[in-house]
Amino acid sequence: MEFFENLYEKWMVIQPYTTAFSSQAVIATAFIIALINSLRKALANKELFSNFVTIAFVCANYLITALLMEYVLAYVSNHSSAASAQNIYLVVTIINLATLYFMYKVHLVFSFVFSKLFFAVVKLFIILSAFHFVIWVKFVVLDLQQEFAQIHYVYSFIVLYISLVLSFIMLFPDVLRTKFGCIVTFSLPRDRNA
Protein backbone atom coordinates (compact mmCIF):
# COMPACT_ATOMS: atom_id res chain seq x y z
CA MET A 1 0.00 0.00 0.00
CA GLU A 2 2.92 2.35 0.67
CA PHE A 3 4.06 1.95 -2.96
CA PHE A 4 0.69 3.16 -4.23
CA GLU A 5 0.71 5.99 -1.72
CA ASN A 6 4.13 7.19 -2.89
CA LEU A 7 3.15 6.83 -6.53
CA TYR A 8 0.00 8.85 -5.94
CA GLU A 9 1.80 11.59 -3.98
CA LYS A 10 4.58 11.90 -6.55
CA TRP A 11 2.68 11.88 -9.84
CA MET A 12 -1.00 12.50 -9.27
CA VAL A 13 -1.47 15.06 -6.48
CA ILE A 14 -2.05 18.53 -7.87
CA GLN A 15 -0.85 21.17 -5.43
CA PRO A 16 0.13 24.83 -5.80
CA TYR A 17 3.83 23.92 -6.11
CA THR A 18 3.37 21.02 -8.56
CA THR A 19 5.60 21.11 -11.64
CA ALA A 20 5.38 19.22 -14.92
CA PHE A 21 5.51 15.44 -14.65
CA SER A 22 8.79 13.93 -15.80
CA SER A 23 7.09 10.58 -16.44
CA GLN A 24 4.62 12.32 -18.74
CA ALA A 25 7.48 13.76 -20.78
CA VAL A 26 8.88 10.26 -21.31
CA ILE A 27 5.46 8.93 -22.33
CA ALA A 28 4.90 11.90 -24.67
CA THR A 29 8.25 11.22 -26.32
CA ALA A 30 7.30 7.57 -26.86
CA PHE A 31 3.96 8.68 -28.38
CA ILE A 32 5.71 11.04 -30.82
CA ILE A 33 8.22 8.34 -31.82
CA ALA A 34 5.31 5.91 -32.35
CA LEU A 35 3.49 8.46 -34.53
CA ILE A 36 6.53 9.20 -36.69
CA ASN A 37 7.33 5.49 -37.05
CA SER A 38 3.71 4.71 -37.92
CA LEU A 39 3.59 7.48 -40.52
CA ARG A 40 6.82 6.21 -42.08
CA LYS A 41 5.46 2.65 -42.23
CA ALA A 42 2.05 3.77 -43.54
CA LEU A 43 3.66 5.75 -46.37
CA ALA A 44 5.71 2.67 -47.31
CA ASN A 45 2.59 0.45 -47.13
CA LYS A 46 4.21 -1.64 -44.39
CA GLU A 47 1.51 -1.03 -41.80
CA LEU A 48 -2.26 -1.05 -41.64
CA PHE A 49 -3.76 2.39 -42.13
CA SER A 50 -5.92 1.59 -39.11
CA ASN A 51 -2.81 1.55 -36.92
CA PHE A 52 -1.74 4.96 -38.18
CA VAL A 53 -5.19 6.50 -37.60
CA THR A 54 -5.37 4.97 -34.13
CA ILE A 55 -1.92 6.21 -33.14
CA ALA A 56 -2.66 9.68 -34.54
CA PHE A 57 -5.84 9.93 -32.47
CA VAL A 58 -4.15 8.72 -29.30
CA CYS A 59 -1.36 11.28 -29.79
CA ALA A 60 -3.87 14.08 -30.44
CA ASN A 61 -5.79 13.06 -27.32
CA TYR A 62 -2.62 13.03 -25.26
CA LEU A 63 -1.60 16.45 -26.57
CA ILE A 64 -4.99 17.98 -25.76
CA THR A 65 -5.17 16.48 -22.28
CA ALA A 66 -1.53 17.38 -21.53
CA LEU A 67 -2.14 21.00 -22.54
CA LEU A 68 -5.30 21.03 -20.45
CA MET A 69 -3.39 19.65 -17.48
CA GLU A 70 -0.71 22.33 -17.92
CA TYR A 71 -3.47 24.94 -17.86
CA VAL A 72 -4.94 23.39 -14.69
CA LEU A 73 -1.52 23.27 -13.03
CA ALA A 74 -0.99 26.96 -13.86
CA TYR A 75 -4.46 27.77 -12.53
CA VAL A 76 -3.83 25.87 -9.28
CA SER A 77 -0.44 27.54 -8.91
CA ASN A 78 -1.89 31.04 -9.38
CA HIS A 79 -4.96 30.52 -7.19
CA SER A 80 -3.44 28.20 -4.53
CA SER A 81 -6.49 25.97 -4.68
CA ALA A 82 -6.95 22.60 -6.34
CA ALA A 83 -10.60 22.16 -5.35
CA SER A 84 -12.00 24.24 -8.22
CA ALA A 85 -9.82 22.39 -10.76
CA GLN A 86 -11.17 18.92 -9.95
CA ASN A 87 -13.65 19.06 -12.82
CA ILE A 88 -10.66 18.30 -15.04
CA TYR A 89 -11.37 14.59 -14.47
CA LEU A 90 -14.82 14.91 -16.04
CA VAL A 91 -13.41 16.95 -18.93
CA VAL A 92 -10.75 14.32 -19.59
CA THR A 93 -13.43 11.60 -19.50
CA ILE A 94 -15.44 13.47 -22.14
CA ILE A 95 -12.34 14.08 -24.28
CA ASN A 96 -11.44 10.37 -24.13
CA LEU A 97 -14.92 9.29 -25.18
CA ALA A 98 -15.01 11.91 -27.95
CA THR A 99 -11.64 10.65 -29.18
CA LEU A 100 -13.01 7.11 -29.40
CA TYR A 101 -16.12 8.31 -31.26
CA PHE A 102 -14.19 10.34 -33.84
CA MET A 103 -11.55 7.64 -34.22
CA TYR A 104 -14.33 5.16 -35.04
CA LYS A 105 -15.92 7.57 -37.54
CA VAL A 106 -12.59 8.18 -39.30
CA HIS A 107 -12.06 4.41 -39.50
CA LEU A 108 -15.44 4.03 -41.16
CA VAL A 109 -14.59 6.66 -43.77
CA PHE A 110 -10.91 6.00 -44.51
CA SER A 111 -10.09 2.50 -43.34
CA PHE A 112 -12.09 -0.62 -44.01
CA VAL A 113 -10.07 -2.61 -41.49
CA PHE A 114 -10.13 -2.33 -37.71
CA SER A 115 -6.76 -3.47 -36.42
CA LYS A 116 -5.93 -5.17 -33.13
CA LEU A 117 -4.37 -1.89 -32.05
CA PHE A 118 -7.70 -0.11 -32.58
CA PHE A 119 -9.54 -2.56 -30.34
CA ALA A 120 -6.81 -2.48 -27.68
CA VAL A 121 -6.89 1.32 -27.61
CA VAL A 122 -10.69 1.35 -27.36
CA LYS A 123 -10.58 -1.04 -24.41
CA LEU A 124 -7.83 0.87 -22.61
CA PHE A 125 -9.52 4.23 -23.20
CA ILE A 126 -12.81 2.93 -21.80
CA ILE A 127 -11.01 1.69 -18.67
CA LEU A 128 -9.17 5.00 -18.37
CA SER A 129 -12.38 6.99 -18.84
CA ALA A 130 -14.16 4.92 -16.21
CA PHE A 131 -11.42 5.64 -13.67
CA HIS A 132 -11.39 9.37 -14.51
CA PHE A 133 -15.16 9.43 -14.01
CA VAL A 134 -14.98 7.56 -10.69
CA ILE A 135 -12.37 9.94 -9.30
CA TRP A 136 -14.47 12.94 -10.48
CA VAL A 137 -17.56 11.54 -8.74
CA LYS A 138 -15.55 11.02 -5.57
CA PHE A 139 -14.04 14.51 -5.55
CA VAL A 140 -16.84 16.66 -6.98
CA VAL A 141 -20.16 14.86 -6.63
CA LEU A 142 -19.58 13.16 -3.28
CA ASP A 143 -17.10 15.82 -2.06
CA LEU A 144 -14.83 13.20 -0.51
CA GLN A 145 -11.34 14.70 -0.62
CA GLN A 146 -9.21 12.62 1.75
CA GLU A 147 -11.54 9.71 2.52
CA PHE A 148 -11.08 6.38 0.72
CA ALA A 149 -7.50 7.15 -0.27
CA GLN A 150 -7.19 3.65 -1.78
CA ILE A 151 -9.22 4.92 -4.75
CA HIS A 152 -6.53 7.56 -5.38
CA TYR A 153 -3.78 4.96 -5.32
CA VAL A 154 -5.58 2.61 -7.68
CA TYR A 155 -6.41 5.55 -9.95
CA SER A 156 -2.81 6.75 -10.11
CA PHE A 157 -1.54 3.24 -10.83
CA ILE A 158 -4.12 2.63 -13.59
CA VAL A 159 -3.47 5.97 -15.30
CA LEU A 160 0.28 5.45 -15.29
CA TYR A 161 -0.04 1.78 -16.32
CA ILE A 162 -2.39 2.50 -19.23
CA SER A 163 -0.21 5.39 -20.44
CA LEU A 164 2.84 3.11 -20.44
CA VAL A 165 0.96 0.25 -22.13
CA LEU A 166 -0.40 2.61 -24.80
CA SER A 167 3.08 3.89 -25.58
CA PHE A 168 4.42 0.32 -25.73
CA ILE A 169 1.72 -1.12 -27.99
CA MET A 170 1.87 1.91 -30.29
CA LEU A 171 5.64 1.51 -30.66
CA PHE A 172 5.31 -2.26 -31.16
CA PRO A 173 1.78 -3.04 -32.45
CA ASP A 174 2.79 -6.60 -33.39
CA VAL A 175 3.08 -7.42 -29.67
CA LEU A 176 -0.73 -7.59 -29.65
CA ARG A 177 -0.45 -10.90 -31.50
CA THR A 178 1.41 -12.45 -28.57
CA LYS A 179 0.25 -13.78 -25.24
CA PHE A 180 2.16 -10.97 -23.51
CA GLY A 181 0.24 -8.38 -25.55
CA CYS A 182 -3.02 -10.01 -24.56
CA ILE A 183 -2.07 -9.92 -20.89
CA VAL A 184 -0.99 -6.27 -20.76
CA THR A 185 -4.09 -5.08 -22.64
CA PHE A 186 -6.52 -7.24 -20.64
CA SER A 187 -7.50 -9.27 -23.72
CA LEU A 188 -8.41 -12.89 -24.05
CA PRO A 189 -5.59 -14.74 -25.84
CA ARG A 190 -7.73 -16.00 -28.71
CA ASP A 191 -7.11 -15.70 -32.43
CA ARG A 192 -3.69 -14.08 -31.98
CA ASN A 193 -2.48 -15.13 -35.43
CA ALA A 194 -5.28 -13.51 -37.42
Side-chain angles (χ1 to χ4, degrees):
M1 190 54 85
E2 188 176 327
F3 169 75
F4 290 120
E5 192 172 331
N6 292 336
L7 184 67
Y8 175 74
E9 291 294 329
K10 184 172 182 179
W11 283 312
M12 297 297 164
V13 174
I14 297 175
Q15 297 172 352
Y17 54 83
T18 302
T19 57
F21 307 130
S22 59
S23 62
Q24 299 304 326
V26 171
I27 292 168
T29 303
F31 280 21
I32 295 299
I33 292 170
L35 180 63
I36 292 169
N37 188 41
S38 179
L39 177 61
R40 182 185 59 79
K41 286 181 178 178
L43 290 174
N45 290 326
K46 293 181 179 178
E47 182 171 56
L48 291 174
F49 187 65
S50 173
N51 283 357
F52 170 71
V53 170
T54 302
I55 292 170
F57 268 92
V58 172
C59 289
N61 173 281
Y62 193 80
L63 175 66
I64 291 168
T65 55
L67 290 174
L68 217 78
M69 188 55 76
E70 285 297 319
Y71 174 77
V72 168
L73 289 173
Y75 176 84
V76 169
S77 178
N78 293 334
H79 295 87
S80 297
S81 170
S84 56
Q86 291 176 338
N87 284 318
I88 187 67
Y89 299 110
L90 179 62
V91 172
V92 171
T93 301
I94 293 168
I95 290 171
N96 285 350
L97 296 177
T99 298
L100 291 180
Y101 174 77
F102 289 117
M103 184 172 68
Y104 173 73
K105 287 296 187 182
V106 167
H107 269 79
L108 288 181
V109 173
F110 294 109
S111 178
F112 303 107
V113 176
F114 291 89
S115 66
K116 290 183 180 298
L117 182 62
F118 171 84
F119 291 111
V121 166
V122 167
K123 183 183 301 175
L124 293 172
F125 262 56
I126 288 172
I127 294 168
L128 197 57
S129 298
F131 275 92
H132 285 311
F133 186 73
V134 165
I135 206 81
W136 175 78
V137 167
K138 180 188 180 298
F139 282 145
V140 178
V141 177
L142 301 177
D143 195 23
L144 301 173
Q145 301 301 318
Q146 299 300 325
E147 300 84 359
F148 306 108
Q150 296 84 358
I151 294 174
H152 305 176
Y153 308 145
V154 171
Y155 170 80
S156 65
F157 175 77
I158 291 295
V159 168
L160 190 58
Y161 176 81
I162 288 180
S163 297
L164 291 171
V165 167
L166 281 171
S167 62
F168 183 73
I169 64 173
M170 290 190 320
L171 283 169
F172 309 104
D174 289 337
V175 78
L176 294 171
R177 296 178 184 268
T178 67
K179 195 176 286 188
F180 175 74
C182 293
I183 292 169
V184 297
T185 60
F186 311 114
S187 300
L188 295 175
R190 59 176 182 244
D191 196 26
R192 290 191 310 273
N193 300 320

